[in-house]
């Protein structure tokens, strides 16, 4: 079995990560000619839209061989609107390279990404890029990294910027103090005058890097190829290989879905254990009733994709034409659950309208494809209003979706204004019940549901008190699935959350009752219970950190108050003020740009989704009307007091 490392290259936009990926591929012989971002010729920016805009939109997996190791590289987007793409790559990684522009330093997304890498214990190398830019001050940058990211950096080289840029590896004995500071056992030997050889120090350093206690820092200019060989040696030496047991059963994780030029579905899977072979049948999400036959296997090799008969643990497989699969699926027999890595959610919604009404079915299919590739996009369709909405991260993502719809499907569309996504929660305990045979119930079934509000952040919990000995699982599952679906639209059209729904009454009539009767009746019973108790609106909030020069602190404090935010903590460090707190997403979406503007680029607004809290403003209806499969029947239920 060959050594395999899955490495993510991550950065704030314009730090040079795609250029770095291209240079790594070139230096290792995976490509014979260097591409350029500005020319749209790089290997990983393969979409026409990426080439035109010069930015990474979709994460791309490529690979190269270096010495005795295969290195799979994930080049990820740098813009915050595509944070979901970055997010999905984290689970696949054995290690990461966080690229920092030597001139621009630590940007807002640099901090977001590093925070998550550290939280998930992903070993990380810091690569300071673009040393050839005018005005670079490395000592100042090191201080900034220590202040804003981590004190635990090991500067692996000395970089000279005067005249020709020169990068020299430091002597390994210059790292001894950093290593002793993190290794108590080694420190005890040192204090006791026990001889410690160089290998012990370096092995300890590697261990501390793997444990995310030390972060090696390398330098270079990726566009000129400076520092690339030293970085390659650093990847080989300090970032871990994928660990596996050859005797384990096969399992794999679907982390990315895209489409080729013919719009055929491509599924990218990391093989977590065992191996996968062509023509094998494997389970989906540990469900024996859901299986697929592996009709084809492809491996990413030296910047291209090649067919394979077998792919082993640690490597990346590409599966074509597998409509059953979706992002997050686990294939095989290994008992494994991926961690919940979501640290941001789409908090905005916008309507999408085709230029030609006749294109509506085509647009729906296209957006369903997009929702497969990005589950956060979440397509909502109103049949009565003929309106479609999608969840979105920001304005740049809207521009990209618009361009992709035209590029891939030839569709011209327009978008409505961005609107915040709200949610609903029941005001109090309530019940709804509709009996079989009572007018106007046309279904062969009786259902009683009890709803209870839960603490914020609890989500939806379903519970059944109806005996399985009386009502079979197929009927009960129909009720559960229908409750989950019906909670997607509450009284005001928003998703209902933070509630417990208890199925306490269920009656059927043999042999005429079917699960469909229960599935169709459930939404009306739930609506009845919600109307009795009413719902309150919840709005998304952000945890924020503001860093501004002290002279702007009063304005920042005033702004947060105006935006209905709360400041929990305030710290001073020399001439800089740090503010931490919580603020509604609706009022603060563009505040990062505002701070950059009024501080002349010296201020930072760092935020992340923190959850939903009670909204205290005027009622806001969803742009998508709450709908029932049979609106006339719903009206009759209301008229009958059901």
């Amino acid at each position: 079995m060959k050594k395999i490392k899955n490495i993510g290259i991550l950065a704030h936009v314009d730090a040079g990560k795609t250029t770095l990926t291209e240079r790594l591929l070139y230096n290792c012989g995976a490509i014979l000619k260097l591409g350029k971002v500005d020319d749209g010729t790089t290997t990983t920016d393969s979409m026409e839209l990426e080439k035109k805009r010069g930015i990474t939109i979709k994460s791309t997996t490529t690979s190269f061989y270096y010495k005795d190791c295969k290195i799979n590289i994930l080049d990820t987007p740098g813009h915050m609107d595509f944070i979901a793409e970055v997010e999905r790559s984290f689970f696949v990684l054995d290690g990461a390279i966080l690229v920092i522009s030597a001139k621009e330093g630590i940007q807002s997304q640099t901090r977001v990404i590093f925070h998550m890498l550290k939280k998930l214990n992903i070993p990380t190398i810091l690569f300071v890029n673009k040393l050839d830019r005018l005005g670079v001050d490395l000592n100042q940058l090191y201080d900034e990294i220590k202040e804003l990211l981590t004190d635990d950096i090991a500067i692996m080289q000395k970089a000279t910027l005067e005249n020709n840029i020169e990068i020299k590896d430091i002597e390994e004995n210059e790292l001894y103090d950093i290593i002793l500071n993190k290794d108590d056992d080694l420190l005890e030997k040192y204090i006791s005058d026990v001889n410690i050889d160089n290998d012990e120090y370096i092995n300890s350093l590697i261990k501390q890097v793997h444990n995310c206690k030390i972060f090696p820092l390398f330098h270079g200019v990726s566009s000129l190829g400076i520092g690339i060989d030293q970085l390659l040696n650093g990847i080989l030496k300090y970032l871990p290989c994928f660990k596996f047991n050859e005797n384990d059963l096969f399992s794999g994780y679907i982390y990315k879905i895209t489409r080729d030029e013919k719009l055929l579905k491509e599924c990218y899977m990391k093989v977590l254990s065992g191996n996968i072979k062509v023509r094998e049948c494997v389970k989906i999400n540990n469900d024996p009733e859901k299986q697929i036959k592996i009709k084809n296997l492809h491996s990413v090799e030296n910047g291209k994709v090649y067919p394979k008969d077998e792919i082993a643990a640690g490597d990346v497989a590409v599966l074509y034409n597998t409509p059953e699969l979706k992002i997050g699926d686990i294939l095989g027999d290994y008992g494994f659950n991926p961690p919940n890595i979501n640290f941001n959610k789409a908090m905005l919604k916008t309507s999408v309208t085709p230029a030609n009404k006749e294109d509506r079915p085509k647009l729906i299919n296209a957006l369903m494809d997009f929702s497969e590739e990005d589950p956060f996009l979440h397509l909502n369709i109103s049949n009565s209003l003929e309106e479609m909405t999608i969840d979105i991260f920001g304005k740049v993502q809207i521009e990209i979706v618009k361009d992709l719809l035209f590029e891939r499907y030839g569709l011209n569309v327009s978008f409505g204004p961005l609107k915040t996504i709200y949610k609903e929660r029941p005001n109090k305990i309530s019940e709804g019940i509709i009996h079989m045979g009572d007018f106007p119930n046309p279904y062969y079934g009786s259902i009683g549901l009890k709803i209870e509000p839960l603490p914020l952040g609890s989500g939806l919990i379903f519970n059944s008190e109806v005996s399985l000995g009386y009502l079979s699982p197929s009927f009960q599952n129909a009720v559960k699935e229908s409750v989950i679906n019906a909670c997607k639209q509450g009284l005001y059209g928003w998703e209902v959350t933070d509630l417990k729904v208890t199925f306490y009454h269920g009656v059927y009539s043999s042999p005429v009752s079917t699960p469909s009767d229960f599935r169709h009746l459930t939404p009306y019973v739930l609506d009845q219970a919600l109307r009795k108790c009413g719902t309150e609106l919840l709005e998304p909030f952000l945890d924020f950190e503001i860093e501004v020069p002290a002279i702007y602190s009063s304005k920042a404090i005033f702004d947060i108050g105006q935006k209905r935010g709360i400041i929990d903590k305030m710290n001073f460090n020399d001439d800089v003020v740090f503010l931490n707190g919580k603020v509604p997403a609706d009022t603060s979406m563009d505040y990062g740009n505002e701070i950059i503007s009024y501080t002349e680029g010296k201020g930072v607004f760092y935020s992340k989704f923190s959850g939903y809290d009670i909204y205290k403003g005027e009622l806001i209806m969803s742009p998508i009307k709450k709908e029932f499969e049979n609106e006339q029947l719903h009206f009759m239920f209301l008229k009958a007091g059901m």
Side-chain angles (χ1 to χ4, degrees):
M1 301 289 287
K2 58 181 176 287
K3 293 181 182 177
I4 297 174
K5 298 176 190 270
N6 295 284
I7 307 300
I9 299 188
L10 308 118
H12 189 276
V13 68
D14 288 335
K17 56 187 174 42
T18 299
T19 302
L20 174 60
T21 303
E22 192 76 3
R23 181 62 72 168
L24 291 169
L25 291 168
Y26 179 76
N27 276 35
C28 293
I31 56 175
L32 300 178
K33 184 179 179 180
L34 276 170
K36 293 183 178 180
V37 173
D38 292 342
D39 297 338
T41 55
T42 60
T43 304
T44 52
D45 282 349
S46 56
M47 295 169 58
E48 284 301 317
L49 200 52
E50 291 176 315
K51 295 175 182 178
K52 290 175 186 175
R53 287 178 171 259
I55 62 172
T56 302
I57 297 168
K58 297 285 185 180
S59 63
T60 305
T61 304
T62 186
S63 76
F64 57 84
Y65 288 88
Y66 184 63
K67 297 183 179 179
D68 62 343
C69 186
K70 181 184 182 185
I71 299 174
N72 293 321
I73 289 285
L74 275 76
D75 181 20
T76 60
H79 197 284
M80 284 298 290
D81 279 12
F82 308 108
I83 192 68
E85 279 289 319
V86 179
E87 182 177 323
R88 283 192 291 274
S89 73
F90 278 104
F91 177 64
V92 182
L93 303 182
D94 304 312
I97 301 168
L98 181 60
V99 185
I100 301 168
S101 173
K103 175 64 175 174
E104 282 74 22
I106 307 302
Q107 304 291 297
S108 57
Q109 189 164 353
T110 317
R111 297 167 73 176
V112 173
I113 293 169
F114 183 78
H115 173 77
M116 186 51 64
L117 289 168
K118 196 170 181 181
K119 181 179 178 182
L120 294 171
N121 292 316
I122 297 174
T124 301
I125 286 175
L126 307 181
F127 181 70
V128 176
N129 195 19
K130 300 186 177 183
L131 294 182
D132 56 332
R133 297 282 297 276
L134 291 175
V136 170
D137 185 335
L138 285 179
N139 288 325
Q140 181 179 323
L141 178 60
Y142 299 152
D143 290 340
E144 188 179 351
I145 291 171
K146 290 177 181 178
E147 181 181 343
L148 300 179
L149 296 185
T150 177
D151 283 328
D152 302 322
I153 59 172
I155 300 171
M156 309 300 291
Q157 302 153 327
K158 291 180 180 177
T160 304
L161 306 184
E162 293 81 11
N163 301 319
N164 293 327
I165 295 171
E166 187 177 7
I167 300 172
K168 289 185 177 180
D169 293 338
I170 65 170
E171 296 294 329
E172 290 182 337
N173 59 19
E174 296 181 58
L175 297 169
Y176 288 177
D177 286 345
I178 298 169
I179 298 166
L180 289 171
N181 190 44
K182 291 295 178 182
D183 191 327
D184 291 340
D185 293 336
L186 214 58
L187 179 61
E188 186 175 339
K189 290 176 71 173
Y190 177 81
I191 293 172
S192 303
D193 287 330
V194 176
N195 182 56
I196 305 171
D197 61 30
N198 186 65
D199 286 346
E200 282 187 86
Y201 277 110
I202 299 308
N203 288 336
S204 175
L205 174 59
I206 293 170
K207 180 181 177 182
Q208 300 311 319
V209 173
H210 288 188
N211 291 333
C212 297
K213 299 291 179 63
I214 294 177
F215 301 90
L217 186 148
F218 290 80
H219 308 77
V221 184
S222 56
S223 61
L224 301 176
I226 298 173
I228 302 302
D229 289 337
Q230 291 101 315
L231 177 61
L232 280 165
N233 288 326
I235 293 171
L236 205 62
K237 187 170 186 176
Y238 296 110
L239 294 183
C241 291
F242 182 78
K243 296 177 182 178
F244 59 89
N245 186 332
E246 292 185 33
N247 297 320
D248 281 343
L249 297 172
F250 160 74
S251 69
Y253 175 73
I254 304 297
Y255 70 91
K256 174 182 171 64
I257 289 177
T258 187
R259 280 170 173 76
D260 64 14
E261 295 175 354
K262 297 180 181 179
L263 302 183
L264 295 176
K265 187 173 175 180
E266 302 173 326
C267 296
Y268 283 75
M269 173 181 70
K270 181 176 180 180
V271 182
L272 301 172
S273 62
N275 54 38
I276 179 68
K277 299 177 182 177
V278 175
R279 293 181 291 278
E280 279 189 336
C281 288
V282 296
K283 290 186 290 188
I284 303 175
N285 297 326
N286 214 28
D287 187 342
E289 296 183 4
K290 293 182 180 179
Q291 294 193 9
I292 62 167
K293 186 174 183 179
I294 304 300
K295 300 174 183 177
N296 58 76
L297 274 177
H298 290 74
S299 176
V300 181
E301 305 277 345
N302 283 327
K304 295 183 180 180
V305 177
Y306 296 98
K308 289 274 187 177
D309 292 328
E310 180 178 353
I311 296 178
D315 214 344
V316 171
V318 187
L319 308 176
Y320 291 94
N321 197 23
T322 50
E324 309 92 335
L325 298 180
K326 62 184 184 298
I327 288 174
D329 280 344
I330 297 177
L331 306 188
D333 297 288
Y334 187 64
F336 182 85
N337 290 311
N340 181 11
I341 305 175
N342 298 344
F343 57 92
N344 264 298
K345 294 184 182 294
M347 292 174 281
L348 298 172
K349 186 184 291 289
T350 182
S351 59
V352 191
T353 307
N356 298 315
K357 287 186 177 180
E358 295 78 14
D359 286 336
R360 187 171 188 266
K362 188 177 179 181
L363 177 58
I364 290 174
N365 289 332
L367 291 174
M368 288 177 68
D369 285 352
F370 285 3
S371 295
E372 267 197 324
E373 296 171 31
D374 182 357
F376 284 118
L377 202 67
H378 192 63
L379 171 64
N380 299 277
I381 303 172
S382 168
N383 293 318
S384 61
L385 297 178
E386 295 191 352
E387 186 174 38
M388 287 170 277
T389 67
I390 55 173
D391 297 351
I392 214 86
F393 279 91
K395 294 177 182 177
V396 173
Q397 192 181 10
I398 289 178
E399 295 172 12
I400 298 301
V401 170
K402 183 175 183 178
D403 288 349
L404 278 175
L405 285 170
F406 181 76
E407 182 184 292
R408 278 194 195 176
Y409 304 93
L411 290 166
N412 284 305
V413 301
S414 60
F415 291 88
L418 283 173
K419 297 184 179 180
T420 300
I421 299 171
Y422 293 83
K423 292 189 179 183
E424 301 177 42
R425 181 175 71 159
N427 284 320
K428 57 184 180 181
I429 295 174
S430 177
E431 294 183 8
I433 189 166
I434 296 177
H435 295 284
M436 180 168 45
D438 286 355
F439 178 82
N441 180 13
Y443 302 112
Y444 290 101
S446 299
I447 294 175
L449 297 174
K450 177 183 178 182
I451 59 176
E452 304 170 66
L454 295 177
L456 294 169
S458 300
L460 167 63
I461 296 175
F462 179 85
N463 178 51
S464 176
E465 294 179 349
V466 178
S467 169
L468 286 170
Y470 172 71
L471 196 64
S472 70
S474 61
F475 285 79
Q476 302 222 20
N477 287 336
V479 174
K480 180 179 180 179
E481 290 169 6
S482 189
V483 164
I484 292 170
N485 189 56
C487 280
K488 292 177 181 177
Q489 284 193 320
L491 300 180
Y492 306 119
W494 304 104
E495 177 189 353
V496 186
T497 188
D498 299 338
L499 77 160
K500 180 180 180 181
V501 179
T502 301
F503 177 32
Y504 71 88
H505 175 78
V507 175
Y508 75 103
S509 176
S510 179
V512 292
S513 295
T514 68
S516 292
D517 288 307
F518 283 73
R519 184 176 291 107
H520 292 311
L521 181 58
T522 296
Y524 301 104
V525 181
L526 185 70
D527 183 69
Q528 181 190 96
L530 287 173
R531 288 181 182 277
K532 287 181 181 179
C533 65
T535 60
E536 62 182 350
L537 285 188
L538 307 176
E539 65 175 325
F541 274 74
L542 303 174
D543 287 330
F544 72 82
E545 179 181 326
I546 292 175
E547 177 188 333
V548 291
I551 58 173
Y552 299 109
S553 60
S554 296
K555 175 167 176 51
I557 293 169
F558 175 79
D559 286 348
I560 291 300
Q562 290 293 102
K563 297 177 186 301
R564 297 187 286 118
I566 297 173
I567 296 173
D568 297 323
K569 188 167 62 174
M570 183 184 306
N571 291 318
F572 295 86
N573 187 352
D574 296 329
D575 294 328
V576 179
V577 175
F578 297 88
L579 306 174
N580 294 81
K582 186 176 175 181
V583 65
D586 185 51
T587 62
S588 56
M589 285 291 185
D590 293 324
Y591 194 52
N593 292 328
E594 290 179 39
I595 281 188
I596 290 172
S597 177
Y598 74 71
T599 64
E600 299 178 342
K602 298 176 183 177
V604 176
F605 178 73
Y606 159 72
S607 65
K608 64 178 181 179
F609 175 73
S610 69
Y612 277 77
D613 209 336
I614 298 169
Y615 173 70
K616 298 177 181 177
E618 295 181 6
L619 175 65
I620 299 173
M621 295 291 293
S622 167
I624 291 291
K625 174 191 171 188
K626 180 173 174 63
E627 293 182 328
F628 287 85
E629 186 175 327
N630 188 327
E631 291 288 349
Q632 184 177 4
L633 180 60
H634 179 233
F635 173 77
M636 293 172 68
F637 272 127
L638 291 177
K639 192 173 180 181
M642 289 186 177

